[in-house]
Amino acid sequence: MIAKSQFHRLLCLGLFTSISFPAFSQQLQWDKGQTFVEAPDPVPSNGQSWNAVKPGLHASFVSIDKRFAKSEAPGITIEKAVHLKGWKGERLSAQLLLWTADSIPGVKVQVTDPVAANGNKLGQAAYARFERYIITDTYGPGCGWRKPGDFPASLSPDMLDDLTSYNLEKKKVRPVWITVDVPRTAAKGTYTAKVQVTAAGGKKQELSLTLDVIDLTLPTPTDWIFHLDQWQHPATIARVNNVPVWSDAHFAAMEPQMKMLASLGQKVITATLNKDPWHVQTLDPYEDMIIWTKEKDGSWSYDYKIFDRWVTFMMGLGITKMINCYSIVPWNNEIHYKDAATGKFVDVVAKPGTPAFTEMWEPFLKDFVVHLRQKGWLEKTNIALDERNKDEMGLAFTLIEKASPALSVSYADNQKTYQRYPNSRDVSTAVQHPIASKDLADRTARGLNTTFYVYCGNNFPNQFTFSDPAESAYMGWYAMAAGYNGVLRWAFNSWVENPLVDSRFRTWPAGDTYIVYPQARSSIRYERLLEGIQDYEKVRALKQLLEQKQDKAQLGKLNAAIARLNNNKRHDGWNEDLNSAKKVLNEISAAVTR
């Protein structure tokens, strides 16, 4: 982390002259349009790479698969044009690189409305966002406690900012992310737009963007089949926005963040049953959603008001398939309740198999089923567990079956638990321990959901801030190739202390705890994950179309491209195979609509 005094010093440098800065404190708040100063580059540069750079502002399109060091001149072949292809309703991406040997204030990047030769317009479908550099580290041993000094630090471009202009620094690189949201009403055809780069008092530069709109339409995210489960963390949004947890202001602050999650096609609401189920593995503990009270006569009552408001809120955003409730087996086996006699909370260790476990969980589960049935949520709700040992899970499943057989279960499984409990509704296994193809096919045929998950224990594919950008897209293709229904990732927004500047955390590789930034700022990881999910949905729809047409040749070509991505380990050529498969997908898509 950057020390607080150092952060204050950086703010005083005045690199951004026209925009005010938020104060730094334990309670951080950033509003749209506000900015911050990036951390100094930890990677030394002798400046030699800049000697051959001519004065002025330089711009070129570059691959979206590459991250560029901030302090080294890029040394690339200039590309003034980019060509994109996509379906109606699809989001597409391009990357522009800016660099200069001089300081240049007030740089703007704007994209004109795409227009076809016949005059058809797409409207304001394209826009640009400046990428911001975040401190990252390296994978190292993966999981486990880590000190920042033990891992090489660097700056990684990841966050997509909402600033309308940017002051370019001397001998620095600044990437820009270009987004094209193809309207669902777009007419088939080729469209062109200009990417205009301007600076105060400087000459305008224009680059060309060409877009081929294919005459197929991507379903809306709520209709996607891909099962995305990214765990939400409400409490961290309250901390960063400096608002009381579960207040109206808190829900207002959560809405833009969770809309981003819904736009990915998220299927699951993350809820808690009792005390922080992960024993503060994040900076911010998970706050209670259900308050348990032991009444003076020894009976139990349960206050579901926060749980109900949270679930209703998330469903209102379109996330409606499942409610996964953590956890009947918390990481430290602690639960707590309010003692009506004293008005105080009591913490109790209740390990599976002990009398305390049964005495506390059985009445709750019975009451919970009644409440869920009243709300109409019972069929959507799972009692969820995360990587518990087989004995604990077995004892928990036994109690659930006894006390509330109407409830199903969901779990992240690293011990082949799915083989002992083959009827579990929702199972996710670690990506490096894949389920056998026959078991996957069997579960899918029986309507059971099976995903793989990525976490600190695997370095490919993953979504750390140092990961190759294409890894996020690869996950959708790997799910398709291996036969999974989707992917689970443990942290959508578990922010670290200063998430806009430093993505490192005390126990996991940098970026493991979040893929979006405060105030609904996107990231390269978010955009590329969306890309892979869109591809999954495009393949699914295209296969149905090819089967209807009985086009075995094209179907075989598509399946062959997908099969090359059934590999969960980093290997030579993986990115090329991904891009080749994407090319095949678009080529066949265009061919079937001619």
Side-chain angles (χ1 to χ4, degrees), residues 2 91 102 143 149 164 185 250 311 338 375 417 425 432 444 478 496 525 561 575:
I2 294 181
R91 172 173 285 193
D102 315 299
C143 305
T164 57
T185 56
H250 184 200
V311 171
K338 187 176 182 180
K375 300 295 291 186
T417 305
R425 178 192 288 167
Q432 73 269 36
T444 299
Y478 173 68
V496 293
R525 294 173 293 155
N575 204 337

Side-chain angles (χ1 to χ4, degrees), residues 183-203:
R184 296 182 181 279
T185 56
K188 172 186 175 181
T190 299
Y191 298 77
T192 59
K194 296 296 182 184
V195 179
Q196 300 173 334
V197 183
T198 59
K203 181 180 178 182

Side-chain angles (χ1 to χ4, degrees), residues 328-502:
I328 192 172
V329 187
W331 278 23
N332 61 352
N333 288 309
E334 278 192 1
I335 56 179
H336 68 184
Y337 64 89
K338 187 176 182 180
D339 186 342
T342 64
K344 296 180 179 180
F345 276 90
V346 178
D347 291 328
V348 177
V349 174
K351 295 181 179 180
T354 65
F357 182 79
T358 302
E359 290 166 7
M360 298 195 72
W361 279 107
E362 186 169 1
F364 169 77
L365 290 171
K366 291 180 177 179
D367 192 84
F368 194 40
V369 167
V370 172
H371 181 75
L372 292 170
R373 187 172 281 122
Q374 291 172 345
K375 300 295 291 186
W377 297 339
L378 181 59
E379 299 304 317
K380 299 177 182 288
T381 303
N382 300 314
I383 301 298
L385 303 91
D386 179 28
E387 293 185 333
R388 300 298 80 202
N389 68 53
K390 64 179 181 180
D391 294 332
E392 290 177 327
M393 294 182 80
L395 291 165
F397 292 159
T398 298
L399 181 61
I400 293 169
E401 179 62 27
K402 173 189 173 185
S404 53
L407 276 170
S408 191
V409 294
S410 171
Y411 49 88
D413 181 9
N414 58 3
Q415 301 180 58
K416 296 186 177 182
T417 305
Y418 70 90
Q419 293 180 341
R420 300 193 301 277
Y421 301 94
N423 296 320
S424 301
R425 178 192 288 167
D426 183 37
V427 171
S428 189
T429 59
V431 66
Q432 73 269 36
H433 300 299
I435 295 180
S437 297
K438 63 179 180 63
D439 291 335
L440 271 173
D442 172 67
R443 286 184 54 81
T444 299
R446 292 188 292 125
L448 302 174
N449 190 66
T450 316
T451 62
F452 70 89
Y453 67 88
V454 299
Y455 70 122
C456 59
N458 70 281
N459 67 0
F460 178 88
N462 217 310
Q463 293 190 285
F464 307 117
T465 41
F466 53 78
S467 297
D468 290 327
E471 291 182 45
S472 291
Y474 188 92
M475 293 197 294
W477 285 86
Y478 173 68
M480 188 188 331
Y484 288 98
N485 301 117
V487 64
L488 179 152
R489 188 176 183 278
W490 79 275
F492 178 65
N493 68 303
S494 289
W495 291 322
V496 293
E497 184 177 9
N498 190 1
L500 296 184
V501 174
D502 192 337

Side-chain angles (χ1 to χ4, degrees), residues 133-149:
Y133 282 89
I134 311 297
I135 295 181
T136 189
D137 55 18
T138 58
Y139 185 73
C143 305
W145 286 82
R146 51 176 58 204
K147 297 178 180 178

Side-chain angles (χ1 to χ4, degrees), residues 228-237 246 254 257-259 261-262 266-272 277-278 282 284-287 289 310-311 313-315 317 319 322-324 326 489-495 513 516:
L228 179 68
D229 183 7
Q230 292 221 336
W231 295 353
Q232 308 101 56
H233 194 165
T236 193
I237 298 176
W246 307 131
M254 287 193 289
Q257 299 287 166
M258 296 309 161
K259 279 184 176 178
L261 183 57
Q266 171 77 6
K267 295 294 184 281
V268 185
I269 300 168
T270 307
T272 56
W278 293 282
T282 51
D284 304 288
Y286 279 72
E287 295 285 347
M289 290 185 180
W310 167 246
V311 171
F313 166 76
M314 293 296 282
M315 285 188 171
L317 300 179
I319 302 172
M322 288 184 182
I323 309 164
N324 283 358
Y326 295 88
R489 188 176 183 278
W490 79 275
F492 178 65
N493 68 303
S494 289
W495 291 322
T513 68
V516 292

Side-chain angles (χ1 to χ4, degrees), residues 499-515:
L500 296 184
V501 174
D502 192 337
S503 65
R504 293 174 295 179
F505 190 58
R506 63 188 179 224
T507 42
W508 328 117
D512 192 39
T513 68
Y514 61 106
I515 68 162

Side-chain angles (χ1 to χ4, degrees), residues 79-149:
E79 298 287 348
K80 292 293 185 180
V82 67
H83 195 160
L84 304 178
K85 297 180 181 181
W87 292 20
K88 292 180 283 187
E90 185 177 359
R91 172 173 285 193
L92 304 171
S93 300
Q95 187 170 214
L96 179 71
L97 196 65
L98 306 178
W99 67 100
T100 175
D102 315 299
S103 298
I104 302 180
V107 174
K108 294 184 178 182
V109 179
Q110 297 169 304
V111 188
T112 64
D113 296 347
V115 180
N118 63 3
N120 284 340
K121 297 181 179 180
L122 294 186
Q124 297 179 340
Y127 51 96
R129 287 170 288 182
F130 291 102
E131 298 173 27
R132 303 303 300 272
Y133 282 89
I134 311 297
I135 295 181
T136 189
D137 55 18
T138 58
Y139 185 73
C143 305
W145 286 82
R146 51 176 58 204
K147 297 178 180 178

